[in-house]
Amino acid sequence: MDTHGDAAVTAAEGKAGPDEGTAQTGATVEAAETAGTGRESIGDWAKCSADPHYRDAVVDLLGALAYGELSAFERLAEDAKLAPSLADKAALAEMASAEFHHYRLLRDRLAAVDADPEQSMRPFVEPLDSFHRMTAPADWLEGLVKAFVGDAIAADFYREVAVRLDDDTRDLVLGVMADTGHAQFAVAKVRSAIDREPRVGGRLALWGRRLMGEALSQAQRVVAERDALSNLLIGGAEVRGFDLVEVGKMFNRITEAHTKRMAALGLAS
């Protein structure tokens, strides 16, 4: 999963010169990589997993993330068929390979904590598959925008919960969210296409809005249906019950980040 959409946003913004732009991008990447480390440690997995509510929440989280990575692998492999050149096809193939590596890390971690990987992923198959069915791209550019926007929304979601995780799980989640290069690739290709044919921007802007709406709808559904995961999202395993206000604030933050990323693509949100 490519979580460095923020870096792509920074690189595309403003009037910075080459050196300044590089510095901004590096700073943003560093911020993304250290996301989730701002809170005091709650301990390691051995300590925290003694709480059955916390353990259930983490298994849910890893199951959702694992199926997301597996879906990303499938999507990128499929999108490669739409690539206009062999170089673009090869670039997507490399990104797909990175996503599958992330999936294997998560699958192995689930097995290591005595959770069945397939059973852990199963609750998230229908929501994710439904999202992909309703947002099948019509062409190469729509596929790039979907990958960029979808990955970024998912990354924001996992960054929200990373600050509430034990040290071992947080390190795994942030590692899996490492950059596959897709953000920079998508921004460069989409902006180039808009420069060549400005009217493409209007169609892709509408597409981006649709993607955001569908993604938030499915994410809200998952959070509402999985009590352990929603507890973790809104304040840690000690919180019990679904807090609509806190979850709403979280999704507002995700929406604000989406607006910036759309601007990086040269599109209105």
Side-chain angles (χ1 to χ4, degrees), residues 76-77 79-98 140 144 180-182 185 189:
L76 287 170
D79 287 351
K81 298 177 183 178
L82 301 172
S85 71
L86 289 176
D88 290 335
K89 188 184 293 287
L92 285 192
E94 288 183 6
M95 295 172 199
S97 177
W140 165 247
L144 288 179
T180 63
H182 206 154
F185 180 82
K189 294 293 182 180

Side-chain angles (χ1 to χ4, degrees), residues 5-6 9 148 152-153 156 159 257-265:
D6 289 338
V9 170
F148 179 67
I153 293 171
D156 287 340
R159 274 198 288 265
H258 167 74
T259 299
K260 294 180 180 179
R261 293 188 182 104
M262 289 292 285
L265 288 171

Side-chain angles (χ1 to χ4, degrees), residues 34-102:
T34 57
T37 62
R39 289 195 177 192
E40 183 178 349
S41 171
I42 63 171
D44 60 13
W45 170 254
K47 171 188 173 183
C48 296
S49 61
D51 178 350
H53 296 287
Y54 179 81
R55 184 186 183 282
D56 289 347
V58 169
V59 169
D60 261 4
L61 178 71
L62 296 182
L65 190 48
Y67 190 68
E69 293 297 322
L70 186 58
S71 295
F73 161 74
E74 293 178 317
R75 184 196 68 227
L76 287 170
E78 189 68 21
D79 287 351
K81 298 177 183 178
L82 301 172
S85 71
L86 289 176
D88 290 335
K89 188 184 293 287
L92 285 192
E94 288 183 6
M95 295 172 199
S97 177
E99 301 287 15
F100 191 73
H101 174 64
H102 292 163

